[in-house]
């Protein structure tokens, strides 16, 4: 069979992972990225066992583990710093074969890029549309046009290709709260365990990164695109500076100009991820709120599944139907679950927040872990077994 060619639109985690997965299956790939360079400011990112399993299928689990931190414990605390629930990450890794790894997003993207030949990465190539010509797809972009047998639209939450090819699809919906992310400078005594604290309409969490740095994240219920009238760092200090230790020390160790803020959205469910030979992938297909830390994890699963489906048959249309069947129900269920968790986490009415905290305290840690089995217990279609390095240690 002649080598098949895929054009991937978007050089984020989803697009790069799709390019690696397809290349490993013998496809010729190119990644069209609108940014003038493949750079990422970003902060931390949590990769749960299902993501590590997908990375293992891409041959990258070891690399990513070497770039990340694996904390022994985590959990949820109340506004006063009392534990509501604890997570034993060794138990998590035992149960789901892979650990939770937290790393800097820029490092993850670099590892993904390095798994591809640099000639296949085309920055400065914003895509404006795709059309069919003589049985092939033609992708129009800023630096010309590309011809392909398959187009993967991994162009994120505001996907231009989704808007062009799914004109009736509803726009992303605002979750009702905004998020801040930041990475501290190296700390002399980093906290020994990560945690998320639930307040009233506000949450703040932190988790370890390599190099004695901590990744901090916070949310607050606010109108969409609310202007704060102050810097993001000043706003974090105002809201969370009086929260229990170690939050004040962590915020003090965040460079004032290094706080990122994004309003949070998810995508109402699409009726299909596929139009002709164009497949949506990652946030373009199923953007979700980050309450479960699953957006990128699901993009990695998408990439591995898409490549598997295309490898299983020479009939690209049938392969894309399988991809849609395997990915849509799962990612849409996780999107809903993440939204529900966000609603609970953001509760602001004191009696409701108290009830939430009491309920969280009563649920045994094992039950919480068990309830995550449908999310964390994923394995690729075709039964790719974990490499020895991917097994829990
Ligand atoms: P994107 O990362 O959005 O990449 C899309 C790429 O396409 C971009 O590079 C963009 O420049 C490019 N592009 C856009 N339009 C065009 C065009 N027309 N032509 C060419 N290129 C184009 N997920 C986790 O798994 N764990 C976490 O801990 C986690 N934490 C998060 C915290 C926050 C606050 C947020 C907001 C999200 C978090 N996520 C997390 C979700 C995760 O960031 C996303 O799901 C993931 O980055 C999606 O990757 P993607 O490649 O699909 O899209």
């Amino acid at each position: 069979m002649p080598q098949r060619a895929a054009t991937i639109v978007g050089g984020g985690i989803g697009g790069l992972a799709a390019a690696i997965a397809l290349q490993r299956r013998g496809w010729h790939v190119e990644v069209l990225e609108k940014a003038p360079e493949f750079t990422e400011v970003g902060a931390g990112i949590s990769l749960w066992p299902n993501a590590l399993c997908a990375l293992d299928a891409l041959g990258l689990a070891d690399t990513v583990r070497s770039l990340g931190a694996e904390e022994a414990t985590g959990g949820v605390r109340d506004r006063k710093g009392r534990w509501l629930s604890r997570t034993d990450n060794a138990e998590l890794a035992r149960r789901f074969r892979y650990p939770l790894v937290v790393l800097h997003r820029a490092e993850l993207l670099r590892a993904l890029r390095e798994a591809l030949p640099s000639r296949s990465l085309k920055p400065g190539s914003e895509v404006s549309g795709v059309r069919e010509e003589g049985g092939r797809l033609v992708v129009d972009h800023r630096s010309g046009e590309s011809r392909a047998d398959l187009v993967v639209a991994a162009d994120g939450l505001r996907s231009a290709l989704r808007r062009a090819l799914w004109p009736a699809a509803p726009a992303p919906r605002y979750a009702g709260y905004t998020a801040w992310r930041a990475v501290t400078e190296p700390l002399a005594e980093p906290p020994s365990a990560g945690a998320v604290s639930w307040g009233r309409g506000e949450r703040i969490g932190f988790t370890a990164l390599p190099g004695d740095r901590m990744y901090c994240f916070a949310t607050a219920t606010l109108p969409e695109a609310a202007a704060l009238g102050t810097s993001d760092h000043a706003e974090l200090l105002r809201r969370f500076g009086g929260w229990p230790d170690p939050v004040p020390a962590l915020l003090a160790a965040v460079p004032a100009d290094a706080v990122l803020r994004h309003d949070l959205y998810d995508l109402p469910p699409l009726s299909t991820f596929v139009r002709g030979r164009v497949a949506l992938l990652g946030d373009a297909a199923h953007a979700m709120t980050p309450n479960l830390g699953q957006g990128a994890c699901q993009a990695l699963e998408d990439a591995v599944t898409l490549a598997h489906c295309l490898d299983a048959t020479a009939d690209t249309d049938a392969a894309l139907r399988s991809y849609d069947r395997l990915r849509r129900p799962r990612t849409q269920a996780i999107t809903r679950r993440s939204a529900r968790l966000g609603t609970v986490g953001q509760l602001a009415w004191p009696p409701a927040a108290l009830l939430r905290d009491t309920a969280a305290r009563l649920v045994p840690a094992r039950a919480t872990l068990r309830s995550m089995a449908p999310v964390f217990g994923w394995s690729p279609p075709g039964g790719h077994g974990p490499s020895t390095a991917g097994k829990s240690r």
Side-chain angles (χ1 to χ4, degrees):
M1 199 192 335
Q3 191 182 32
R4 295 185 285 178
T7 292
I8 288 130
V9 181
I13 296 166
L16 293 172
I20 297 166
L22 289 169
Q23 183 190 249
R24 285 170 68 91
R25 306 276 187 162
W27 284 69
H28 176 269
V29 296
E30 70 171 350
V31 181
L32 302 175
E33 166 56 46
K34 83 170 170 191
E37 278 176 71
F38 281 88
T39 49
E40 163 79 32
V41 191
I45 188 156
S46 314
L47 296 177
W48 294 91
N50 52 314
L52 268 291
C53 183
L55 286 163
D56 206 0
L58 299 178
L60 288 172
D62 273 354
T63 307
V64 169
R65 285 183 78 168
S66 73
L67 297 170
E70 297 175 24
E71 269 189 344
T73 58
V76 180
R77 305 192 306 172
D78 68 10
R79 169 70 181 81
K80 294 192 171 143
R82 295 171 298 207
W83 288 104
L84 298 175
S85 66
R86 303 295 298 264
T87 328
D88 173 355
N89 289 337
E91 173 61 19
L92 174 101
R94 255 193 309 278
R95 196 180 276 246
F96 300 111
R97 297 187 305 166
Y98 297 88
L100 162 65
V101 174
V102 184
L103 74 166
H104 201 291
R105 191 179 280 257
E107 300 264 294
L108 173 62
L109 282 162
R110 188 166 51 79
L112 293 171
R113 276 198 310 274
E114 284 177 1
L116 289 164
S118 54
R119 65 175 182 282
S120 59
L121 301 175
K122 310 227 162 111
S125 305
E126 181 170 5
V127 169
S128 50
V130 57
R131 59 201 150 84
E132 222 178 300
E133 210 176 274
R136 294 197 89 199
L137 296 166
V138 182
V139 181
D140 295 305
H141 53 88
R142 186 165 292 170
S143 29
E145 56 178 44
S146 300
R147 281 163 200 274
D149 305 297
L150 166 75
V151 171
V152 179
D155 48 348
L157 174 71
R158 309 271 170 204
S159 167
L161 288 189
R162 188 185 65 236
R163 275 183 281 131
L165 300 179
W166 279 253
R173 62 189 164 206
Y174 180 49
Y177 43 98
T178 199
W180 292 270
R181 284 173 289 175
V183 174
T184 67
E185 300 285 10
L187 299 162
E189 285 184 46
S192 58
V196 183
S197 296
W198 287 350
R200 295 173 187 165
E202 293 173 333
R203 288 174 282 167
I204 189 160
F206 51 89
T207 180
L209 284 174
D212 295 330
R213 295 168 305 162
M214 299 296 287
Y215 164 42
C216 304
F217 45 93
T219 59
T221 300
L222 276 173
E224 188 174 10
L228 299 174
T230 178
S231 75
D232 286 305
H233 189 249
E235 181 68 8
L236 282 180
L237 287 173
R238 185 185 73 75
R239 285 180 179 271
F240 301 104
W243 284 45
D245 288 337
V247 170
L250 295 181
L251 294 181
V254 165
D257 58 354
V259 179
L260 301 174
R261 177 181 161 210
H262 291 96
D263 282 352
L264 298 178
Y265 295 85
D266 62 16
L267 193 65
L270 298 172
S271 56
T272 172
F273 285 175
V274 175
R275 276 271 187 278
R277 293 186 176 184
V278 179
L280 295 172
L281 182 145
D283 277 10
H286 48 67
M288 58 187 72
T289 55
N291 298 294
L292 290 169
Q294 277 291 323
C297 301
Q298 291 305 310
L300 292 167
E301 287 187 14
D302 288 348
V304 170
T305 306
L306 177 64
H308 169 83
C309 293
L310 288 159
D311 207 39
T313 168
D315 179 346
T316 305
D317 298 319
L320 293 179
R321 279 196 298 278
S322 300
Y323 167 72
D324 182 52
R325 198 177 56 246
L326 286 169
R327 297 307 302 158
R328 202 160 35 81
R330 172 169 172 79
T331 52
Q332 292 177 347
I334 293 173
T335 301
R336 283 192 297 275
R337 186 167 175 176
S338 188
R340 282 197 301 273
L341 184 59
T343 305
V344 171
Q346 288 302 122
L347 284 173
W349 189 48
L354 184 64
L355 200 64
R356 169 199 68 194
D357 291 1
T358 309
R361 202 174 276 121
L362 291 175
V363 178
R366 281 179 173 270
T368 308
L369 217 48
R370 218 172 22 246
S371 78
M372 290 307 292
V375 179
F376 296 160
W378 178 85
S379 49
H384 167 90
S387 71
T388 46
K391 280 183 185 149
S392 55
R393 289 170 187 157

